[in-house]
Amino acid sequence: MTARSLFEKVWDDHQVVAESADAPAVLYIDLHLIHEVTTPEAFTVLKSRGLALRRPDLTLATLDHSTPTVPIRSLADLDGLVGKAAANQIRVMIDNSHDAGVRMLGFDSDQRGIVHVIGPELGITQPGMTIVCGDSHTSTHGAFGALGFGIGTTEVGHVLATQCLLQRKPKTLAVTVNGQLNRGVTAKDIILGIIGKIGVSGGTGHVIEYRGSAISALSMDERMTICNMSIEGGARAGMIAPDDTTFEYLAGRPMAPAGAAWDAAVRRWRTLPSDPDARFDREVVLDVAELAPMITFGTNPGMVIPIDAPVPADTGNTSFRKSLQYMGVDAGKPMLGRAVDVVFIGSCTNARLSDLRQAASIFAGRRVSDGVRVMIVPGSQAVKKQAEAEGLDRIFTAAGAQWRESGCSMCLGMNGDTVGRGELCVSTSNRNFEGRQGIGARTVLASPLTAAAAAVTGRISDPRELLAS
């Protein structure tokens, strides 16, 4: 039998109709995660055609993108908090979910949170699954050995109606990451380093499998950070083979299998890792022992450098020069020491409990620098509750940071949490495009450690220096 990769095994298990020269494959979808932004139009189309949801039981809804990160008393508060458009998205989502019989994690749910945080938390994200969502960072779920990828609004409608999707089979890219991380270097630095190496289009048309000793050593939270940003390297998805770390994370979670079903699932999941002689279309190798904390300097995640390195020289590329002008950055000069206006710690990339613990290790006993606004937004209500149980919220607020309710928040600013024009924000999110965090906002992507270091020093700083003090 031909050796197969993790991706190929999951693809083959879900292929209803094989791809041909004239038509994509028909792929069965195990789990459809939905939120308030990319579903209203899809539901409208279904209603206009008299179509019901094919599998409401395989659909899970949450509120995250447009939701306020301050407490609300009722839905009537929404207009004043997030604006009429965002408030309407939320109300329509609640109504559509109710009418379609879809489980909704609303404002009254202690399980609500960012869609790519709550899936794993609940144990509904599982190895070997196909998972889709109208959000490009669905690749997060690949950390569990699932094939997760984002889809557009039209495709959301297709899955709601048929529980299937038309897809061309991607190629495979093995990213082998070896070595041991040095102090102050995190999973966020690994994925930024990978994107810097392959570029923002390096994974186009491929599904990435992350492997190697450094990947195996990561926790599930860290693996999710890696897979989350696969799309920023152009990939369709990112995957990591399930192992004992995966199984230990999932065991006992509310929607994970239990009893005999758990034992059977683990036996099945152990067959998923790539065969030893599986072939990949491409391979990239990275040694993390040589990695430093990473930061972006431009307007895409591939414009990234070690924190102690200068911005690359201007080679005359027009888009490069335009990016630097937008950021107010000079070629050949360091980012270290640059003044910071805002720090955001949150998003589906870095808003899990371990991320907040990292940030707290810097904030503890220190104060936010004068003139810096710091917003810390947990990835879910469950994360918020756990962080408060550990006293992390008190560390943040004592330092002068804002501690918020869960949501996507300042990652994309749809809920009113934005960065002002011309302000520089060090952010633990995943995209630094022009205007991503607000009109004219300037975004520097970094790890929770680096973001926290910027918050307490008021400038871009090397977190290793603060960890040593």
Side-chain angles (χ1 to χ4, degrees):
M1 186 175 178
T2 304
R4 295 182 298 165
S5 66
L6 166 63
F7 160 71
E8 289 167 328
K9 291 179 182 182
V10 178
W11 180 276
D12 291 347
D13 285 348
H14 292 81
Q15 188 173 250
V16 179
V17 178
E19 178 179 347
S20 70
D22 300 321
V26 177
L27 204 65
Y28 185 77
I29 303 303
D30 291 314
L31 175 63
H32 189 187
L33 300 168
I34 60 176
H35 58 82
E36 70 274 20
V37 176
T38 53
T39 55
E41 186 177 343
F43 273 105
T44 298
V45 170
L46 261 65
K47 289 176 182 178
S48 70
R49 299 184 63 177
L51 298 173
L53 261 68
R54 177 74 175 177
R55 294 293 302 269
D57 58 317
L58 300 183
T59 308
L60 179 65
T62 191
L63 302 172
D64 58 3
H65 281 60
S66 301
T67 55
T69 55
V70 294
I72 68 166
R73 293 168 296 178
S74 72
L75 293 180
D77 296 339
L78 287 173
D79 286 10
L81 292 172
V82 298
K84 289 185 177 180
N88 187 59
Q89 286 179 331
I90 294 169
R91 294 190 184 101
V92 169
M93 179 67 175
I94 293 171
D95 291 343
N96 282 335
S97 297
H98 177 268
D99 294 345
V102 172
R103 180 180 179 184
M104 155 61 73
L105 305 179
F107 289 113
D108 59 346
S109 174
D110 59 5
Q111 295 178 333
R112 177 174 62 86
I114 302 174
V115 65
H116 308 311
V117 175
I118 58 106
E121 266 182 358
L122 294 173
I124 197 171
T125 295
Q126 296 168 21
M129 278 186 163
T130 49
I131 301 175
V132 297
C133 176
D135 184 281
S136 54
H137 295 101
T138 311
S139 54
T140 307
H141 304 268
F144 292 81
L147 176 59
F149 53 91
I151 56 177
T153 297
T154 300
E155 293 174 309
V156 169
H158 290 170
V159 178
L160 291 175
T162 69
Q163 206 58 34
C164 290
L165 197 59
L166 296 173
Q167 287 287 296
R168 291 286 183 185
K169 186 177 182 180
K171 295 180 180 179
T172 54
L173 168 59
V175 175
T176 302
V177 186
N178 291 318
Q180 186 172 350
L181 287 173
N182 292 309
R183 191 180 189 198
V185 183
T186 71
K188 182 64 164 287
D189 301 308
I190 294 176
I191 190 59
L192 286 174
I194 291 170
I195 296 168
K197 187 179 183 80
I198 69 174
V200 292
S201 60
T204 301
H206 294 73
V207 167
I208 297 175
E209 179 178 336
Y210 301 99
R211 57 186 192 166
S213 60
I215 298 298
S216 298
L218 297 177
S219 69
M220 289 311 300
D221 283 4
E222 293 169 319
R223 295 180 190 188
M224 283 186 265
T225 294
I226 298 285
C227 289
N228 173 272
M229 291 189 68
S230 300
I231 186 68
E232 312 310 336
R236 189 71 176 108
M239 305 177 75
I240 296 173
D243 58 13
D244 287 340
T245 300
T246 316
F247 311 147
E248 289 168 9
Y249 178 97
L250 288 172
R253 294 193 178 265
M255 301 180 78
W262 169 261
D263 296 335
V266 172
R267 285 195 297 271
R268 185 173 66 255
W269 296 341
R270 289 193 186 279
T271 69
L272 289 172
S274 296
D275 297 329
D277 50 350
R279 299 177 65 88
F280 293 83
D281 294 294
R282 291 174 53 210
E283 182 171 357
V284 172
V285 178
L286 181 74
D287 183 357
V288 298
E290 302 171 356
L291 201 62
M294 305 293 286
I295 52 169
T296 59
F297 62 87
T299 54
N300 71 59
M303 301 180 78
V304 62
I305 53 174
I307 197 164
D308 51 3
V311 173
D314 183 354
T315 60
N317 182 284
T318 302
S319 61
F320 179 87
R321 186 171 297 166
K322 180 182 176 183
S323 179
L324 264 57
Q325 288 174 347
Y326 179 85
M327 291 295 295
V329 169
D330 295 321
K333 294 185 178 180
M335 293 290 287
L336 271 176
R338 185 178 173 85
V340 170
D341 302 295
V342 182
V343 170
F344 171 60
I345 297 174
S347 84
C348 59
T349 312
N350 283 125
R352 296 174 181 85
L353 187 62
S354 61
D355 299 311
L356 301 182
R357 287 170 177 160
Q358 284 183 12
S361 71
I362 297 289
F363 280 109
R366 297 185 172 99
R367 291 283 303 173
V368 170
S369 182
D370 290 344
V372 178
R373 176 165 59 105
V374 180
M375 187 178 292
I376 302 177
V377 182
S380 69
Q381 294 304 101
V383 169
K384 183 174 188 288
K385 183 178 180 179
Q386 290 173 303
E388 290 172 351
E390 293 185 12
L392 302 185
D393 61 318
R394 294 191 294 276
I395 292 174
F396 298 140
T397 55
Q402 298 177 38
W403 175 244
R404 295 294 191 103
E405 300 293 316
S406 66
C408 295
S409 185
M410 200 179 279
C411 174
L412 72 171
M414 290 189 69
N415 70 336
D417 295 347
T418 57
V419 177
R421 184 184 292 274
E423 289 187 327
L424 184 73
C425 177
V426 177
S427 176
T428 66
S429 54
N430 42 57
R431 286 182 172 163
N432 54 333
F433 304 153
E434 291 187 21
R436 169 76 175 182
Q437 295 188 294
I439 298 172
R442 296 166 170 170
T443 302
V444 172
L445 301 179
S447 73
L449 288 176
T450 301
V456 298
T457 62
R459 61 189 187 277
I460 294 176
S461 301
D462 191 330
R464 294 173 294 188
E465 296 179 1
L466 277 73
L467 290 170
S469 63

